[in-house]
Amino acid sequence: MSEKKAPSVLQGFKAFLMRGNVVDLAVAVVIGAAFTGIVNSVVKGVINPVVGALGTQSLDNYSSCLKAPCTGTGANATGVRILWGSVLGSTLNFLITAAVVYFLMVLPMSRFLARQEARRKAKESADEVVEVTELQVLKEIRDALMAQHNSGRIGS
């Protein structure tokens, strides 16, 4: 009887790390983190100045007073404020990130996969037509041979 050795913890960990989906996920997280920096720069460098033309340059400064008196900022603030400007800024960050991911990654990849699938189906249907044609030819040859064989018997 041969005994199977159980894989060591280190071997199991190595196998886990070398799985394709784990590596892909790690790459996606790193790229996502780098991409977040780009989006934040766009919001701070483009969106905020546009908003600044209408009011304050930082969306974080937009707020509403829920319970007066709302005076001061930071640790000296009094009253209850709703900081809807920071929610708006985060929403813009999310929408820009989602749009870029969709238009630069998801949409091109889905189009590519659809083209690949269409090519595969076209190739399969072409192979099927060839197989059907070959089958028809073989049937015709069989029928001709049987007719020739049968006509030879009748005449003898």
Side-chain angles (χ1 to χ4, degrees):
M1 269 201 298
S2 67
E3 289 183 30
K4 285 189 176 182
K5 280 189 171 180
S8 71
V9 172
L10 189 58
Q11 289 172 335
F13 183 67
K14 180 181 174 186
F16 169 74
L17 289 179
M18 299 314 288
R19 275 193 228 153
N21 55 357
V22 172
V23 174
D24 292 343
L25 181 61
V27 169
V29 167
V30 170
I31 289 174
F35 184 70
T36 299
I38 293 171
V39 171
N40 288 337
S41 295
V42 168
V43 170
K44 287 179 184 173
V46 177
I47 304 293
N48 284 350
V50 170
V51 171
L54 305 172
T56 64
Q57 202 165 36
S58 174
L59 290 175
D60 293 337
N61 292 337
Y62 287 104
S63 64
S64 297
C65 186
L66 188 62
K67 185 175 179 183
C70 289
T71 60
T73 59
N76 299 329
T78 61
V80 178
R81 292 179 190 246
I82 296 176
L83 303 173
W84 58 270
S86 62
V87 174
L88 180 62
S90 296
T91 303
L92 286 173
N93 278 344
F94 171 76
L95 290 175
I96 291 170
T97 304
V100 170
V101 167
Y102 179 76
F103 290 112
L104 294 182
M105 295 177 193
V106 173
L107 190 61
M109 182 57 86
S110 63
R111 286 182 179 169
F112 173 75
L113 293 175
R115 281 194 303 258
Q116 292 291 89
E117 184 66 18
R119 287 182 189 147
R120 185 187 63 77
K121 285 183 178 181
K123 184 178 179 183
E124 284 179 1
S125 65
D127 290 344
E128 189 175 296
V129 169
V130 169
E131 289 176 14
V132 169
T133 306
E134 289 176 3
L135 185 60
Q136 284 299 109
V137 170
L138 289 173
K139 285 181 179 179
E140 289 173 8
I141 293 171
R142 180 200 65 197
D143 293 344
L145 287 173
M146 287 181 69
Q148 185 181 19
H149 181 71
N150 287 340
S151 67
R153 278 190 181 173
I154 296 174
S156 8

